[in-house]
Amino acid sequence: MAILKILQYPDIRLHTIAKPVLEITSATRKLIRDMTETMYAAPGVGLAATQVDVHQQIIVIDVSETHDDLLVFINPEIIMCDGEVKREEGCLSVPGTYEDVTRAERVTVRALDQQGEVFSLNAEGLLATCIQHEIDHLKGKVFVEYLSQLKQSRIRAKLKKHQRETL
Ligand code: K1U
Ligand code: ZN
């Protein structure tokens, strides 16, 4: 397995729209293993392929404290959403920034598993927020885009400064 490099905002590659996975191969499964290792090592509770510069519709999520409830979604689609909730979000591509975002409180997601079988999952709480955050990544959207232009430019300036200093 391998730890992959996570793209950092404002890298323009984070705005790439991911393509659907047409065939699940051994390379797809290796990518999923590497994404999972990268997410746990970060540490984070989710990771989208976009964040490791692979523009395929794949996400991994584990919101458990014990790292034993891995969920893998290939070609995920939200087929139902309900309610509204404001929750603090972070992002491995935007280190050090935590901001409130309002999203659907409950979602139903339909996706393929690693065997190519279709499944649906009803989610609420942090899992529902995380699913929406990761699907946004696949659409090229980073959570800071829900914030004001002023906050976005402050975050961009802070991260660019940090990136210059750590070059
Ligand atoms: O997409 C990502 O960059 C992962 C992101 C997912 C997420 C977290 C919270 C709300 C919405 C989406 C993260 O995992 S940020 C790190 C984080 O939340 C965390 C890290 C260690 C332990 C617990 C949480
Ligand atoms: Zn993120």
Side-chain angles (χ1 to χ4, degrees):
M1 288 206 282
I3 305 280
L4 306 171
K5 187 173 176 297
I6 298 176
L7 298 177
Q8 306 278 293
Y9 183 81
D11 192 310
I12 55 165
R13 290 171 289 180
L14 286 168
H15 303 301
T16 310
I17 297 172
K19 294 201 165 67
V21 175
L22 300 180
E23 194 188 354
I24 299 167
T25 64
S26 55
T28 315
R29 291 190 194 95
K30 175 171 179 356
L31 170 65
I32 290 167
R33 283 197 301 276
D34 290 346
M35 285 175 58
T36 303
E37 193 182 17
T38 304
M39 172 185 72
Y40 286 140
V45 292
L47 192 70
T50 309
Q51 293 175 276
V52 293
D53 203 19
V54 177
H55 302 287
Q56 299 179 23
Q57 293 179 9
I58 300 172
I59 64 182
V60 295
I61 294 179
D62 188 345
V63 296
S64 75
E65 282 176 13
T66 40
H67 289 186
D68 60 357
D69 196 12
L70 178 68
L71 298 168
V72 176
F73 302 87
I74 299 170
N75 301 343
E77 279 177 276
I78 290 175
I79 55 172
M80 193 282 295
C81 50
D82 175 43
E84 242 184 34
V85 69
K86 193 194 281 185
R87 182 185 289 279
E88 186 174 80
E89 298 193 14
C91 181
L92 299 175
S93 295
V94 193
T97 297
Y98 298 88
E99 293 282 350
D100 284 347
V101 176
T102 301
R103 297 189 188 264
E105 191 176 4
R106 286 171 291 278
V107 296
T108 303
V109 61
R110 182 171 61 203
L112 300 180
D113 64 19
Q114 293 189 68
Q115 284 67 48
E117 299 292 332
V118 179
F119 70 99
S120 303
L121 180 88
N122 297 318
E124 60 182 14
L126 175 60
L127 178 59
T129 298
C130 198
I131 288 169
Q132 294 171 81
H133 176 114
E134 302 308 334
I135 291 179
D136 270 355
H137 275 304
L138 300 181
K139 294 176 175 167
K141 185 162 182 168
V142 180
F143 87 108
V144 296
E145 291 168 53
Y146 290 100
L147 309 177
S148 68
Q149 286 298 331
L150 178 64
K151 276 194 176 174
Q152 288 184 48
S153 46
R154 282 185 180 154
I155 293 165
R156 267 198 303 273
K158 181 179 77 172
L159 287 173
K160 279 185 181 167
K161 181 169 179 279
H162 180 73
Q163 285 157 16
R164 272 197 308 276
E165 287 168 357
T166 53
L167 262 181

PDB file of all heavy atoms in Angstrom, residues 60-97:
ATOM      1  N   VAL A  60     -13.810   7.205  -0.281  1.00  0.00           N
ATOM      2  CA  VAL A  60     -13.734   6.319   0.886  1.00  0.00           C
ATOM      3  C   VAL A  60     -14.089   7.157   2.108  1.00  0.00           C
ATOM      4  O   VAL A  60     -13.747   8.346   2.177  1.00  0.00           O
ATOM      5  CB  VAL A  60     -12.337   5.664   1.052  1.00  0.00           C
ATOM      6  CG1 VAL A  60     -12.026   4.729  -0.098  1.00  0.00           C
ATOM      7  CG2 VAL A  60     -11.222   6.709   1.182  1.00  0.00           C
ATOM      8  N   ILE A  61     -14.800   6.529   3.048  1.00  0.00           N
ATOM      9  CA  ILE A  61     -15.238   7.226   4.267  1.00  0.00           C
ATOM     10  C   ILE A  61     -15.173   6.232   5.426  1.00  0.00           C
ATOM     11  O   ILE A  61     -15.542   5.064   5.276  1.00  0.00           O
ATOM     12  CB  ILE A  61     -16.706   7.739   4.114  1.00  0.00           C
ATOM     13  CG1 ILE A  61     -16.790   8.836   3.038  1.00  0.00           C
ATOM     14  CG2 ILE A  61     -17.263   8.240   5.449  1.00  0.00           C
ATOM     15  CD1 ILE A  61     -18.189   9.400   2.796  1.00  0.00           C
ATOM     16  N   ASP A  62     -14.695   6.720   6.578  1.00  0.00           N
ATOM     17  CA  ASP A  62     -14.832   5.942   7.821  1.00  0.00           C
ATOM     18  C   ASP A  62     -14.980   6.940   8.959  1.00  0.00           C
ATOM     19  O   ASP A  62     -14.006   7.585   9.359  1.00  0.00           O
ATOM     20  CB  ASP A  62     -13.611   5.028   8.039  1.00  0.00           C
ATOM     21  CG  ASP A  62     -13.824   4.087   9.213  1.00  0.00           C
ATOM     22  OD1 ASP A  62     -14.755   4.336  10.012  1.00  0.00           O
ATOM     23  OD2 ASP A  62     -13.060   3.112   9.341  1.00  0.00           O
ATOM     24  N   VAL A  63     -16.211   7.079   9.461  1.00  0.00           N
ATOM     25  CA  VAL A  63     -16.447   8.058  10.532  1.00  0.00           C
ATOM     26  C   VAL A  63     -16.366   7.399  11.914  1.00  0.00           C
ATOM     27  O   VAL A  63     -16.626   8.048  12.917  1.00  0.00           O
ATOM     28  CB  VAL A  63     -17.803   8.811  10.367  1.00  0.00           C
ATOM     29  CG1 VAL A  63     -17.810   9.656   9.105  1.00  0.00           C
ATOM     30  CG2 VAL A  63     -18.983   7.860  10.386  1.00  0.00           C
ATOM     31  N   SER A  64     -15.986   6.113  11.961  1.00  0.00           N
ATOM     32  CA  SER A  64     -15.871   5.436  13.262  1.00  0.00           C
ATOM     33  C   SER A  64     -14.594   5.906  13.969  1.00  0.00           C
ATOM     34  O   SER A  64     -13.638   6.321  13.308  1.00  0.00           O
ATOM     35  CB  SER A  64     -15.835   3.916  13.084  1.00  0.00           C
ATOM     36  OG  SER A  64     -14.566   3.530  12.583  1.00  0.00           O
ATOM     37  N   GLU A  65     -14.593   5.798  15.310  1.00  0.00           N
ATOM     38  CA  GLU A  65     -13.374   6.184  16.045  1.00  0.00           C
ATOM     39  C   GLU A  65     -12.348   5.069  16.013  1.00  0.00           C
ATOM     40  O   GLU A  65     -11.180   5.278  16.316  1.00  0.00           O
ATOM     41  CB  GLU A  65     -13.742   6.528  17.496  1.00  0.00           C
ATOM     42  CG  GLU A  65     -14.358   7.915  17.579  1.00  0.00           C
ATOM     43  CD  GLU A  65     -14.843   8.280  18.957  1.00  0.00           C
ATOM     44  OE1 GLU A  65     -14.495   7.576  19.917  1.00  0.00           O
ATOM     45  OE2 GLU A  65     -15.575   9.273  19.049  1.00  0.00           O
ATOM     46  N   THR A  66     -12.799   3.878  15.636  1.00  0.00           N
ATOM     47  CA  THR A  66     -11.937   2.687  15.724  1.00  0.00           C
ATOM     48  C   THR A  66     -11.369   2.262  14.355  1.00  0.00           C
ATOM     49  O   THR A  66     -10.693   1.230  14.265  1.00  0.00           O
ATOM     50  CB  THR A  66     -12.755   1.545  16.332  1.00  0.00           C
ATOM     51  OG1 THR A  66     -14.085   1.599  15.770  1.00  0.00           O
ATOM     52  CG2 THR A  66     -12.871   1.677  17.842  1.00  0.00           C
ATOM     53  N   HIS A  67     -11.668   3.061  13.307  1.00  0.00           N
ATOM     54  CA  HIS A  67     -11.142   2.759  11.959  1.00  0.00           C
ATOM     55  C   HIS A  67     -11.547   1.366  11.487  1.00  0.00           C
ATOM     56  O   HIS A  67     -10.757   0.670  10.847  1.00  0.00           O
ATOM     57  CB  HIS A  67      -9.602   2.869  11.922  1.00  0.00           C
ATOM     58  CG  HIS A  67      -9.103   4.280  12.012  1.00  0.00           C
ATOM     59  ND1 HIS A  67      -7.781   4.619  11.876  1.00  0.00           N
ATOM     60  CD2 HIS A  67      -9.762   5.433  12.204  1.00  0.00           C
ATOM     61  CE1 HIS A  67      -7.638   5.922  11.998  1.00  0.00           C
ATOM     62  NE2 HIS A  67      -8.827   6.436  12.210  1.00  0.00           N
ATOM     63  N   ASP A  68     -12.778   0.956  11.826  1.00  0.00           N
ATOM     64  CA  ASP A  68     -13.187  -0.401  11.415  1.00  0.00           C
ATOM     65  C   ASP A  68     -14.537  -0.386  10.696  1.00  0.00           C
ATOM     66  O   ASP A  68     -15.257  -1.366  10.696  1.00  0.00           O
ATOM     67  CB  ASP A  68     -13.215  -1.347  12.627  1.00  0.00           C
ATOM     68  CG  ASP A  68     -14.200  -0.882  13.696  1.00  0.00           C
ATOM     69  OD1 ASP A  68     -14.818   0.192  13.528  1.00  0.00           O
ATOM     70  OD2 ASP A  68     -14.344  -1.599  14.698  1.00  0.00           O
ATOM     71  N   ASP A  69     -14.894   0.767  10.109  1.00  0.00           N
ATOM     72  CA  ASP A  69     -16.188   0.841   9.415  1.00  0.00           C
ATOM     73  C   ASP A  69     -16.005   1.557   8.074  1.00  0.00           C
ATOM     74  O   ASP A  69     -16.641   2.568   7.800  1.00  0.00           O
ATOM     75  CB  ASP A  69     -17.201   1.573  10.309  1.00  0.00           C
ATOM     76  CG  ASP A  69     -18.626   1.343   9.832  1.00  0.00           C
ATOM     77  OD1 ASP A  69     -18.833   0.460   8.971  1.00  0.00           O
ATOM     78  OD2 ASP A  69     -19.533   2.057  10.312  1.00  0.00           O
ATOM     79  N   LEU A  70     -15.121   0.994   7.269  1.00  0.00           N
ATOM     80  CA  LEU A  70     -14.797   1.625   5.984  1.00  0.00           C
ATOM     81  C   LEU A  70     -15.966   1.487   5.009  1.00  0.00           C
ATOM     82  O   LEU A  70     -16.522   0.403   4.837  1.00  0.00           O
ATOM     83  CB  LEU A  70     -13.554   0.946   5.383  1.00  0.00           C
ATOM     84  CG  LEU A  70     -13.138   1.496   4.018  1.00  0.00           C
ATOM     85  CD1 LEU A  70     -12.627   2.929   4.130  1.00  0.00           C
ATOM     86  CD2 LEU A  70     -12.080   0.595   3.389  1.00  0.00           C
ATOM     87  N   LEU A  71     -16.295   2.608   4.363  1.00  0.00           N
ATOM     88  CA  LEU A  71     -17.313   2.610   3.309  1.00  0.00           C
ATOM     89  C   LEU A  71     -16.640   3.062   2.018  1.00  0.00           C
ATOM     90  O   LEU A  71     -15.900   4.055   2.020  1.00  0.00           O
ATOM     91  CB  LEU A  71     -18.442   3.576   3.673  1.00  0.00           C
ATOM     92  CG  LEU A  71     -19.225   3.245   4.951  1.00  0.00           C
ATOM     93  CD1 LEU A  71     -20.106   4.425   5.361  1.00  0.00           C
ATOM     94  CD2 LEU A  71     -20.086   1.999   4.734  1.00  0.00           C
ATOM     95  N   VAL A  72     -16.883   2.317   0.960  1.00  0.00           N
ATOM     96  CA  VAL A  72     -16.317   2.657  -0.354  1.00  0.00           C
ATOM     97  C   VAL A  72     -17.484   2.897  -1.305  1.00  0.00           C
ATOM     98  O   VAL A  72     -18.399   2.073  -1.383  1.00  0.00           O
ATOM     99  CB  VAL A  72     -15.433   1.504  -0.883  1.00  0.00           C
ATOM    100  CG1 VAL A  72     -14.927   1.813  -2.284  1.00  0.00           C
ATOM    101  CG2 VAL A  72     -14.268   1.233   0.073  1.00  0.00           C
ATOM    102  N   PHE A  73     -17.453   4.026  -1.976  1.00  0.00           N
ATOM    103  CA  PHE A  73     -18.525   4.381  -2.913  1.00  0.00           C
ATOM    104  C   PHE A  73     -17.902   4.631  -4.287  1.00  0.00           C
ATOM    105  O   PHE A  73     -17.026   5.496  -4.426  1.00  0.00           O
ATOM    106  CB  PHE A  73     -19.234   5.668  -2.488  1.00  0.00           C
ATOM    107  CG  PHE A  73     -19.856   5.641  -1.112  1.00  0.00           C
ATOM    108  CD1 PHE A  73     -19.111   5.973   0.014  1.00  0.00           C
ATOM    109  CD2 PHE A  73     -21.201   5.325  -0.938  1.00  0.00           C
ATOM    110  CE1 PHE A  73     -19.683   5.989   1.279  1.00  0.00           C
ATOM    111  CE2 PHE A  73     -21.782   5.339   0.328  1.00  0.00           C
ATOM    112  CZ  PHE A  73     -21.026   5.662   1.437  1.00  0.00           C
ATOM    113  N   ILE A  74     -18.350   3.881  -5.266  1.00  0.00           N
ATOM    114  CA  ILE A  74     -17.904   4.095  -6.651  1.00  0.00           C
ATOM    115  C   ILE A  74     -19.114   4.642  -7.421  1.00  0.00           C
ATOM    116  O   ILE A  74     -20.230   4.112  -7.281  1.00  0.00           O
ATOM    117  CB  ILE A  74     -17.394   2.767  -7.252  1.00  0.00           C
ATOM    118  CG1 ILE A  74     -16.205   2.251  -6.430  1.00  0.00           C
ATOM    119  CG2 ILE A  74     -17.022   2.933  -8.733  1.00  0.00           C
ATOM    120  CD1 ILE A  74     -15.770   0.834  -6.774  1.00  0.00           C
ATOM    121  N   ASN A  75     -18.902   5.686  -8.192  1.00  0.00           N
ATOM    122  CA  ASN A  75     -19.972   6.385  -8.938  1.00  0.00           C
ATOM    123  C   ASN A  75     -21.156   6.755  -8.025  1.00  0.00           C
ATOM    124  O   ASN A  75     -22.323   6.443  -8.336  1.00  0.00           O
ATOM    125  CB  ASN A  75     -20.476   5.525 -10.105  1.00  0.00           C
ATOM    126  CG  ASN A  75     -19.376   5.182 -11.094  1.00  0.00           C
ATOM    127  OD1 ASN A  75     -18.331   5.820 -11.105  1.00  0.00           O
ATOM    128  ND2 ASN A  75     -19.603   4.183 -11.931  1.00  0.00           N
ATOM    129  N   PRO A  76     -20.877   7.411  -6.874  1.00  0.00           N
ATOM    130  CA  PRO A  76     -21.970   7.707  -5.936  1.00  0.00           C
ATOM    131  C   PRO A  76     -22.910   8.795  -6.451  1.00  0.00           C
ATOM    132  O   PRO A  76     -22.482   9.721  -7.136  1.00  0.00           O
ATOM    133  CB  PRO A  76     -21.223   8.214  -4.689  1.00  0.00           C
ATOM    134  CG  PRO A  76     -19.970   8.807  -5.232  1.00  0.00           C
ATOM    135  CD  PRO A  76     -19.585   7.959  -6.411  1.00  0.00           C
ATOM    136  N   GLU A  77     -24.196   8.616  -6.108  1.00  0.00           N
ATOM    137  CA  GLU A  77     -25.233   9.608  -6.478  1.00  0.00           C
ATOM    138  C   GLU A  77     -26.134   9.794  -5.276  1.00  0.00           C
ATOM    139  O   GLU A  77     -26.580   8.786  -4.694  1.00  0.00           O
ATOM    140  CB  GLU A  77     -26.150   9.025  -7.560  1.00  0.00           C
ATOM    141  CG  GLU A  77     -25.690   9.066  -8.955  1.00  0.00           C
ATOM    142  CD  GLU A  77     -26.768   8.346  -9.774  1.00  0.00           C
ATOM    143  OE1 GLU A  77     -26.708   7.106  -9.835  1.00  0.00           O
ATOM    144  OE2 GLU A  77     -27.668   9.024 -10.305  1.00  0.00           O
ATOM    145  N   ILE A  78     -26.432  11.027  -4.944  1.00  0.00           N
ATOM    146  CA  ILE A  78     -27.425  11.267  -3.884  1.00  0.00           C
ATOM    147  C   ILE A  78     -28.803  11.188  -4.528  1.00  0.00           C
ATOM    148  O   ILE A  78     -29.100  11.931  -5.468  1.00  0.00           O
ATOM    149  CB  ILE A  78     -27.169  12.614  -3.195  1.00  0.00           C
ATOM    150  CG1 ILE A  78     -25.867  12.477  -2.381  1.00  0.00           C
ATOM    151  CG2 ILE A  78     -28.326  12.993  -2.276  1.00  0.00           C
ATOM    152  CD1 ILE A  78     -25.382  13.716  -1.725  1.00  0.00           C
ATOM    153  N   ILE A  79     -29.618  10.245  -4.047  1.00  0.00           N
ATOM    154  CA  ILE A  79     -30.928  10.054  -4.685  1.00  0.00           C
ATOM    155  C   ILE A  79     -32.058  10.612  -3.818  1.00  0.00           C
ATOM    156  O   ILE A  79     -33.183  10.698  -4.272  1.00  0.00           O
ATOM    157  CB  ILE A  79     -31.183   8.564  -5.046  1.00  0.00           C
ATOM    158  CG1 ILE A  79     -31.036   7.663  -3.820  1.00  0.00           C
ATOM    159  CG2 ILE A  79     -30.238   8.123  -6.165  1.00  0.00           C
ATOM    160  CD1 ILE A  79     -31.473   6.218  -4.091  1.00  0.00           C
ATOM    161  N   MET A  80     -31.737  10.974  -2.583  1.00  0.00           N
ATOM    162  CA  MET A  80     -32.747  11.607  -1.728  1.00  0.00           C
ATOM    163  C   MET A  80     -32.018  12.461  -0.687  1.00  0.00           C
ATOM    164  O   MET A  80     -30.979  12.037  -0.181  1.00  0.00           O
ATOM    165  CB  MET A  80     -33.564  10.518  -1.013  1.00  0.00           C
ATOM    166  CG  MET A  80     -34.831  10.988  -0.328  1.00  0.00           C
ATOM    167  SD  MET A  80     -34.577  11.812   1.248  1.00  0.00           S
ATOM    168  CE  MET A  80     -33.910  10.504   2.258  1.00  0.00           C
ATOM    169  N   CYS A  81     -32.537  13.673  -0.439  1.00  0.00           N
ATOM    170  CA  CYS A  81     -32.010  14.420   0.702  1.00  0.00           C
ATOM    171  C   CYS A  81     -33.163  15.099   1.415  1.00  0.00           C
ATOM    172  O   CYS A  81     -34.215  15.364   0.817  1.00  0.00           O
ATOM    173  CB  CYS A  81     -30.914  15.396   0.310  1.00  0.00           C
ATOM    174  SG  CYS A  81     -31.277  16.454  -1.034  1.00  0.00           S
ATOM    175  N   ASP A  82     -32.946  15.339   2.706  1.00  0.00           N
ATOM    176  CA  ASP A  82     -34.041  15.787   3.552  1.00  0.00           C
ATOM    177  C   ASP A  82     -33.484  16.619   4.704  1.00  0.00           C
ATOM    178  O   ASP A  82     -32.438  16.291   5.266  1.00  0.00           O
ATOM    179  CB  ASP A  82     -34.728  14.501   4.088  1.00  0.00           C
ATOM    180  CG  ASP A  82     -35.821  14.798   5.077  1.00  0.00           C
ATOM    181  OD1 ASP A  82     -36.595  15.731   4.822  1.00  0.00           O
ATOM    182  OD2 ASP A  82     -35.878  14.102   6.116  1.00  0.00           O
ATOM    183  N   GLY A  83     -34.176  17.721   5.032  1.00  0.00           N
ATOM    184  CA  GLY A  83     -33.797  18.545   6.180  1.00  0.00           C
ATOM    185  C   GLY A  83     -32.561  19.378   5.895  1.00  0.00           C
ATOM    186  O   GLY A  83     -31.984  19.330   4.802  1.00  0.00           O
ATOM    187  N   GLU A  84     -32.186  20.144   6.906  1.00  0.00           N
ATOM    188  CA  GLU A  84     -31.011  21.025   6.791  1.00  0.00           C
ATOM    189  C   GLU A  84     -30.301  21.049   8.125  1.00  0.00           C
ATOM    190  O   GLU A  84     -30.963  21.106   9.169  1.00  0.00           O
ATOM    191  CB  GLU A  84     -31.481  22.450   6.467  1.00  0.00           C
ATOM    192  CG  GLU A  84     -30.981  22.950   5.155  1.00  0.00           C
ATOM    193  CD  GLU A  84     -31.370  24.392   4.901  1.00  0.00           C
ATOM    194  OE1 GLU A  84     -31.441  25.205   5.855  1.00  0.00           O
ATOM    195  OE2 GLU A  84     -31.605  24.698   3.736  1.00  0.00           O
ATOM    196  N   VAL A  85     -28.990  21.018   8.105  1.00  0.00           N
ATOM    197  CA  VAL A  85     -28.232  21.084   9.350  1.00  0.00           C
ATOM    198  C   VAL A  85     -26.930  21.834   9.095  1.00  0.00           C
ATOM    199  O   VAL A  85     -26.348  21.724   8.012  1.00  0.00           O
ATOM    200  CB  VAL A  85     -27.989  19.667   9.924  1.00  0.00           C
ATOM    201  CG1 VAL A  85     -27.033  18.861   9.069  1.00  0.00           C
ATOM    202  CG2 VAL A  85     -27.508  19.707  11.359  1.00  0.00           C
ATOM    203  N   LYS A  86     -26.517  22.616  10.131  1.00  0.00           N
ATOM    204  CA  LYS A  86     -25.237  23.328  10.029  1.00  0.00           C
ATOM    205  C   LYS A  86     -24.212  22.549  10.857  1.00  0.00           C
ATOM    206  O   LYS A  86     -24.490  22.198  12.012  1.00  0.00           O
ATOM    207  CB  LYS A  86     -25.394  24.739  10.611  1.00  0.00           C
ATOM    208  CG  LYS A  86     -24.226  25.652  10.257  1.00  0.00           C
ATOM    209  CD  LYS A  86     -24.226  26.898  11.086  1.00  0.00           C
ATOM    210  CE  LYS A  86     -25.217  27.928  10.586  1.00  0.00           C
ATOM    211  NZ  LYS A  86     -25.075  29.181  11.380  1.00  0.00           N
ATOM    212  N   ARG A  87     -23.059  22.233  10.248  1.00  0.00           N
ATOM    213  CA  ARG A  87     -22.049  21.453  10.956  1.00  0.00           C
ATOM    214  C   ARG A  87     -20.666  21.998  10.585  1.00  0.00           C
ATOM    215  O   ARG A  87     -20.463  22.457   9.452  1.00  0.00           O
ATOM    216  CB  ARG A  87     -22.163  19.989  10.504  1.00  0.00           C
ATOM    217  CG  ARG A  87     -21.211  19.047  11.194  1.00  0.00           C
ATOM    218  CD  ARG A  87     -21.341  17.653  10.578  1.00  0.00           C
ATOM    219  NE  ARG A  87     -22.591  17.018  10.929  1.00  0.00           N
ATOM    220  CZ  ARG A  87     -22.823  16.388  12.095  1.00  0.00           C
ATOM    221  NH1 ARG A  87     -21.880  16.327  13.007  1.00  0.00           N
ATOM    222  NH2 ARG A  87     -23.971  15.820  12.321  1.00  0.00           N
ATOM    223  N   GLU A  88     -19.737  21.930  11.532  1.00  0.00           N
ATOM    224  CA  GLU A  88     -18.369  22.370  11.243  1.00  0.00           C
ATOM    225  C   GLU A  88     -17.675  21.331  10.365  1.00  0.00           C
ATOM    226  O   GLU A  88     -17.753  20.132  10.636  1.00  0.00           O
ATOM    227  CB  GLU A  88     -17.593  22.565  12.547  1.00  0.00           C
ATOM    228  CG  GLU A  88     -16.229  23.158  12.309  1.00  0.00           C
ATOM    229  CD  GLU A  88     -15.520  23.487  13.614  1.00  0.00           C
ATOM    230  OE1 GLU A  88     -14.967  22.562  14.235  1.00  0.00           O
ATOM    231  OE2 GLU A  88     -15.519  24.668  13.995  1.00  0.00           O
ATOM    232  N   GLU A  89     -17.038  21.797   9.298  1.00  0.00           N
ATOM    233  CA  GLU A  89     -16.329  20.890   8.385  1.00  0.00           C
ATOM    234  C   GLU A  89     -14.848  21.233   8.327  1.00  0.00           C
ATOM    235  O   GLU A  89     -14.449  22.383   8.505  1.00  0.00           O
ATOM    236  CB  GLU A  89     -16.910  20.995   6.962  1.00  0.00           C
ATOM    237  CG  GLU A  89     -18.363  20.584   6.917  1.00  0.00           C
ATOM    238  CD  GLU A  89     -18.905  20.359   5.514  1.00  0.00           C
ATOM    239  OE1 GLU A  89     -18.107  20.264   4.550  1.00  0.00           O
ATOM    240  OE2 GLU A  89     -20.141  20.278   5.402  1.00  0.00           O
ATOM    241  N   GLY A  90     -14.067  20.207   8.060  1.00  0.00           N
ATOM    242  CA  GLY A  90     -12.650  20.388   7.767  1.00  0.00           C
ATOM    243  C   GLY A  90     -12.393  19.723   6.425  1.00  0.00           C
ATOM    244  O   GLY A  90     -13.287  19.113   5.843  1.00  0.00           O
ATOM    245  N   CYS A  91     -11.193  19.839   5.913  1.00  0.00           N
ATOM    246  CA  CYS A  91     -10.862  19.214   4.633  1.00  0.00           C
ATOM    247  C   CYS A  91      -9.361  18.972   4.595  1.00  0.00           C
ATOM    248  O   CYS A  91      -8.583  19.891   4.907  1.00  0.00           O
ATOM    249  CB  CYS A  91     -11.286  20.124   3.477  1.00  0.00           C
ATOM    250  SG  CYS A  91     -10.938  19.421   1.857  1.00  0.00           S
ATOM    251  N   LEU A  92      -8.973  17.765   4.189  1.00  0.00           N
ATOM    252  CA  LEU A  92      -7.540  17.444   4.141  1.00  0.00           C
ATOM    253  C   LEU A  92      -6.826  18.269   3.074  1.00  0.00           C
ATOM    254  O   LEU A  92      -5.610  18.411   3.118  1.00  0.00           O
ATOM    255  CB  LEU A  92      -7.355  15.938   3.893  1.00  0.00           C
ATOM    256  CG  LEU A  92      -7.966  15.041   4.987  1.00  0.00           C
ATOM    257  CD1 LEU A  92      -7.848  13.571   4.607  1.00  0.00           C
ATOM    258  CD2 LEU A  92      -7.309  15.303   6.342  1.00  0.00           C
ATOM    259  N   SER A  93      -7.584  18.832   2.131  1.00  0.00           N
ATOM    260  CA  SER A  93      -6.992  19.690   1.100  1.00  0.00           C
ATOM    261  C   SER A  93      -6.936  21.155   1.526  1.00  0.00           C
ATOM    262  O   SER A  93      -6.413  21.987   0.774  1.00  0.00           O
ATOM    263  CB  SER A  93      -7.789  19.574  -0.214  1.00  0.00           C
ATOM    264  OG  SER A  93      -7.680  18.256  -0.723  1.00  0.00           O
ATOM    265  N   VAL A  94      -7.518  21.465   2.696  1.00  0.00           N
ATOM    266  CA  VAL A  94      -7.519  22.849   3.202  1.00  0.00           C
ATOM    267  C   VAL A  94      -7.070  22.795   4.672  1.00  0.00           C
ATOM    268  O   VAL A  94      -7.851  23.050   5.587  1.00  0.00           O
ATOM    269  CB  VAL A  94      -8.924  23.494   3.076  1.00  0.00           C
ATOM    270  CG1 VAL A  94      -8.845  25.006   3.295  1.00  0.00           C
ATOM    271  CG2 VAL A  94      -9.588  23.189   1.739  1.00  0.00           C
ATOM    272  N   PRO A  95      -5.814  22.421   4.913  1.00  0.00           N
ATOM    273  CA  PRO A  95      -5.383  22.167   6.290  1.00  0.00           C
ATOM    274  C   PRO A  95      -5.533  23.399   7.178  1.00  0.00           C
ATOM    275  O   PRO A  95      -5.287  24.531   6.746  1.00  0.00           O
ATOM    276  CB  PRO A  95      -3.909  21.755   6.148  1.00  0.00           C
ATOM    277  CG  PRO A  95      -3.509  22.094   4.767  1.00  0.00           C
ATOM    278  CD  PRO A  95      -4.741  22.196   3.934  1.00  0.00           C
ATOM    279  N   GLY A  96      -5.987  23.142   8.410  1.00  0.00           N
ATOM    280  CA  GLY A  96      -6.074  24.211   9.412  1.00  0.00           C
ATOM    281  C   GLY A  96      -7.308  25.077   9.305  1.00  0.00           C
ATOM    282  O   GLY A  96      -7.435  26.058  10.037  1.00  0.00           O
ATOM    283  N   THR A  97      -8.251  24.756   8.414  1.00  0.00           N
ATOM    284  CA  THR A  97      -9.456  25.572   8.260  1.00  0.00           C
ATOM    285  C   THR A  97     -10.681  24.739   8.629  1.00  0.00           C
ATOM    286  O   THR A  97     -10.883  23.649   8.080  1.00  0.00           O
ATOM    287  CB  THR A  97      -9.591  26.065   6.800  1.00  0.00           C
ATOM    288  OG1 THR A  97      -8.470  26.908   6.520  1.00  0.00           O
ATOM    289  CG2 THR A  97     -10.866  26.847   6.576  1.00  0.00           C
TER     290      THR A  97
END
